[in-house]
Each structure stands twice: as C-alpha cells, then as structure tokens.
Amino acid sequence: EAQVTQNPRYLITVTGKKLTVTCSQNMNHEYMSWYRQDPGLGLRQIYYSMNVEVTDKGDVPEGYKVSRKEKRNFPLILESPSPNQTSLYFCASSLNGVNYGYTFGSGTRLTVV
Amino acid sequence: KQEVTQIPAALSVPEGENLVLNCSFTDSAIYNLQWFRQDPGKGLTSLLLIQSSQREQTSGRLNASLDKSSGRSTLYIAASQPGDSATYLCAVVSNYQLIWGAGTKLIIKP
C-alpha cells in the first residue's frame, strides 16, 4: 500500500532532550516536507526537500533540522525542544512537489514539558 | 506572498442538504489546488486534486471547481450526511510550497 509512515504517533518529552521524528514513504517520491499544525495558526511548513541532499526552509524552520540522505526517508530533528514546539506534526510526500498531489502521514502529536 | 482564505469558518446544516465551501487565493500563479478532510485529532485525507489547467474534478458526492483567474475554488458536497462532519481544508501549491487555508469546520446534523 502506498503510504507515508510517521513515527512515533505520540511523544511526550522534556525541554532540551533531543528527539527525532521519522518519516518514510514507499512511493519513490522526489519531494518530501514537514508541517506543524497549531490551533488558530493552521498548518505551516517547516522544511521541504526536492530531492536527496536538497533541503530548504519553509515558513517556520527555527528550532528544527532535517536531512535527506536517501529518497524514502526525511527525519525531523529537534536538537533542543522547547514548550513552544508542542504541536501536531505532519510529514508529506509528492512525486515532484508541483504537478502532483500530496500524501500525508498520520501525524505525530508532540508535547514538550 | 500567497494567502489562502476559506469561508465560512464554520457551517452547520441538516442532513441531506447540498452545500458549498469556498476557498480563495491571492496569487493566481499556482500549480494545483488540493482539498483535504481532517477529522478531530486525526490526519489529513486528500479528497480532490485540481491541476491549474483543469476547471473541475469529481469524486462521488464531491465536486471541486477552480477558477484560477479569479483566485477561487469551491467544494460542492451533494446530499450531505452526518459522516461528512469534519474540517475541510484547501491548499495551493505555489513555489514548491503547500499554502493552506484555515479550514471550514462542517457539522451535519442528523
């Protein structure tokens, strides 16, 4: 089944403890991206990647890192999480990010205390 | 900078009604527009994708139209059912980014 898989689904962590949210797609898509969703602010893009080893900042990249070492994986790294990064996170992929639709993962609900 | 607006923010209608959700965008230079559904606390389910060269797409009881020149899209839901209750989001692809509207929260009353 074609899908985007995010892990974990739920995560509670403490301020400053490094964490990684994984994202993997099995559709051989070139384009992958990360979003966060917050009440009243909607969905905002964090980072995106148009291909392996090519990443770029979205609208809210501060406090996040990404890497794209292989086509199928696009992990989101929080080096030193803070409470304002408590949010619902979504990973998505698209064949090329332009002419084709986006497929989303099930989301990761992160709480930083 | 591209901005996407959805009206109304919330809508409550009795079951069986046909309804229209609106989405507008400020920059007509888009590659495509996608409508999604989100149930409370859940993920994003793609409903319809309209390429910039297309005028409409249909899937079952759903029909989405696109007028790029006026910066508008509508999602038409026929014969609404309680199971259609969810938040509906539109998003445009512009400059390799997906730009989102704030969504319309739809409640269908039995």
Side-chain angles (χ1 to χ4, degrees), chain A residues 67-88:
Chain A
S67 68
R68 187 91 182 273
K69 291 183 168 42
E70 42 187 351
K71 187 182 276 192
R72 65 183 292 120
N73 294 323
F74 191 45
L76 180 69
I77 303 159
L78 285 72
E79 295 265 357
S80 183
S82 63
N84 65 12
Q85 293 178 297
T86 292
S87 187
L88 180 58

Side-chain angles (χ1 to χ4, degrees), chain A residues 22-42:
Chain A
T22 64
C23 175
S24 180
Q25 50 94 4
N26 63 359
M27 296 167 280
N28 202 35
H29 284 173
E30 305 268 328
Y31 181 99
M32 297 184 74
S33 54
W34 277 101
Y35 305 83
R36 63 178 288 174
Q37 186 176 34
D38 301 290
L41 296 174

Side-chain angles (χ1 to χ4, degrees), chain B residues 73-96:
Chain B
S73 176
T74 61
L75 179 67
Y76 175 83
I77 303 177
S80 57
Q81 303 169 357
D84 294 330
S85 297
T87 296
Y88 290 79
L89 296 145
C90 73
V92 300
V93 174
S94 181
N95 290 328
Y96 290 96

Side-chain angles (χ1 to χ4, degrees), chain B residues 3 7 9 23 27-28 38-39 54-56 62 78 82 84 88:
Chain B
E3 292 182 0
I7 293 173
C23 172
D27 185 350
S28 62
Q38 186 176 30
D39 294 286
Q54 296 176 321
R55 297 283 294 185
E56 65 178 304
L62 304 179
D84 294 330
Y88 290 79

